[in-house]
Amino acid sequence: MVWPAGMARAARRIATAAALGGGGLTALGATAYGLLIAEGMLARKTIGRPHGMDGPFSDGDYGDFPGEPLKLAMLGDSTSVGLGLTDPGKTPGVLIACGLAAVAERPVRLRVVGKSGAASAELAEQVDAALELRPDVAVIFVGANDVITQTSPATAVRHLTKAVRRLREAGAEVVVGTCPDLGTVRPIAQPLRWVARRWSRQIAAAQTVGVVDAGGRTVAFADLLGEEFHANPGEMFGPDRFHPSDRGYAQAAYAVLPSVCAALGLWPEPRPAHGEGLQPIYLAAATAAEEPGTEVSATRVDGRASGTHGKWANLFRRRLGEGLNDA
């Protein structure tokens, strides 16, 4: 396990390098990273490709409600498009759109611009396409392919931060599902599975710092949202043993949905549980990287965005339906 203090230091190094234009490796080192890439290539040969190269077409209007539609854009990699699924209704975008429509009691217009295999460097083109919709909210799932394509964490975070900033400047709220834990992928064998886990979570923590700094909020995917993936890999992963099954995609979508609703002012702020609430951004990012489903967003203390240990952030684990009766 990587303790929060060490993860926080790694997140600070990566985020600082991203801001300054650097791109060096983290403490994992070039040798461990090279071994991880080699193992990842072997894993890809083992698992092969899922059926089709893209998810099912799912653009459209959702929710049988009156009024002007809210506009939702989905960006990112194969998880944003539901690769491996055949039913559009089970893709993350449609599940989030239907849930958002039910909470807002308004229709939701969905446009999916994500692409299978996309790394963070490809987000700029996706943002161009998303902005044609003039979205009220954008959801981004990205990170795994930055590891697979040997992109340095600082470079990946820099591209993601730019994408979030562009969307925010255009008036869209932004929610990012951070890099999933590639250590849960069974075809990646031990001992490199723990290397994949540490590397993935370092990127996830640094993504959180960059996204929050750019005005968005993150939801930690960590080990693809819970112990259930470890306990029931046959049900939570798809046939390729790499991408989620329909149940896995649903779990990801429903983890993000409360944060999407909160970003649009449709969801009340939760009561902090033990270990949640106000934290310095680097500690919040490190904590979230170890806690699946945890949201991190910017906040202020006495009117100030930063304190002695950096920017302030709120860390919560939102749950579907929590607090709605009080809204």
Side-chain angles (χ1 to χ4, degrees):
M1 177 179 179
V2 180
W3 297 103
M7 184 75 77
R9 287 193 294 270
R12 184 190 293 269
R13 286 197 301 270
I14 296 170
T16 300
L20 297 177
L25 296 176
T26 68
L28 282 180
T31 300
Y33 186 55
L35 289 171
L36 173 60
I37 295 304
E39 184 68 26
M41 293 175 67
L42 290 174
R44 287 301 300 172
K45 290 182 180 179
T46 300
I47 63 182
R49 296 279 184 179
H51 296 295
M53 290 300 295
D54 295 297
F57 182 79
S58 55
D59 290 6
D61 289 1
Y62 296 90
D64 187 16
F65 298 97
E68 184 70 17
L70 288 168
K71 298 173 184 176
L72 165 66
M74 288 289 299
L75 302 84
D77 56 25
S78 56
T79 55
S80 73
V81 303
L83 185 65
L85 298 177
T86 57
D87 182 354
K90 295 182 178 180
T91 60
V94 172
L95 293 175
I96 294 170
C98 290
L100 177 58
V103 173
E105 297 184 339
R106 289 174 58 182
V108 173
R109 181 162 297 156
L110 170 67
R111 183 171 183 190
V112 179
V113 298
K115 182 179 178 182
S116 177
S120 295
E122 297 172 65
L123 287 175
E125 182 178 345
Q126 294 185 21
V127 172
D128 290 340
L131 290 179
E132 295 177 2
L133 179 67
R134 304 180 68 178
D136 297 292
V137 61
V139 176
I140 304 174
F141 292 173
V142 76
N145 289 311
D146 292 304
V147 176
I148 293 171
T149 60
Q150 307 181 47
T151 303
S152 77
T155 300
V157 171
R158 184 163 61 252
H159 285 295
L160 174 59
T161 301
K162 288 181 178 179
V164 173
R165 188 165 285 118
R166 285 184 61 199
L167 289 163
R168 292 292 292 128
E169 289 172 350
E173 299 293 337
V174 182
V175 179
V176 175
T178 58
C179 182
D181 179 2
L182 295 184
T184 62
V185 178
R186 294 301 176 91
I188 296 179
Q190 292 287 21
L192 290 179
R193 193 178 294 166
W194 75 265
V195 178
R197 169 163 296 152
R198 184 176 179 186
W199 192 269
S200 301
R201 295 191 182 194
Q202 282 188 355
I203 291 179
Q207 285 178 320
T208 293
V209 174
V211 168
V212 171
D213 186 63
R217 61 183 73 200
T218 61
V219 176
F221 278 3
D223 51 357
L224 282 178
L225 307 175
E227 295 180 358
E228 193 170 359
F229 272 84
H230 292 289
N232 300 301
E235 295 182 16
M236 304 305 287
F237 281 107
D240 68 353
R241 296 186 292 159
F242 187 83
H243 293 90
S245 65
D246 55 355
R247 285 186 59 191
Y249 279 122
Q251 195 159 330
Y254 292 141
V256 169
L257 175 59
S259 296
V260 171
C261 294
L264 293 171
L266 301 170
W267 206 278
E269 292 301 322
R271 300 179 183 88
H274 178 69
E276 297 181 346
L278 182 68
Q279 295 186 15
I281 180 60
Y282 294 106
L283 181 58
T287 302
E290 298 291 335
E291 295 291 336
T294 303
E295 177 197 298
V296 179
S297 59
T299 191
R300 289 178 175 270
V301 177
D302 296 329
R304 294 183 304 226
S306 299
T308 305
H309 300 289
K311 292 194 172 185
W312 291 111
N314 269 328
L315 181 145
F316 294 111
R317 184 164 185 175
R318 297 184 184 273
R319 296 165 181 84
L320 280 174
E322 183 179 56
L324 284 181
N325 294 332
D326 302 326

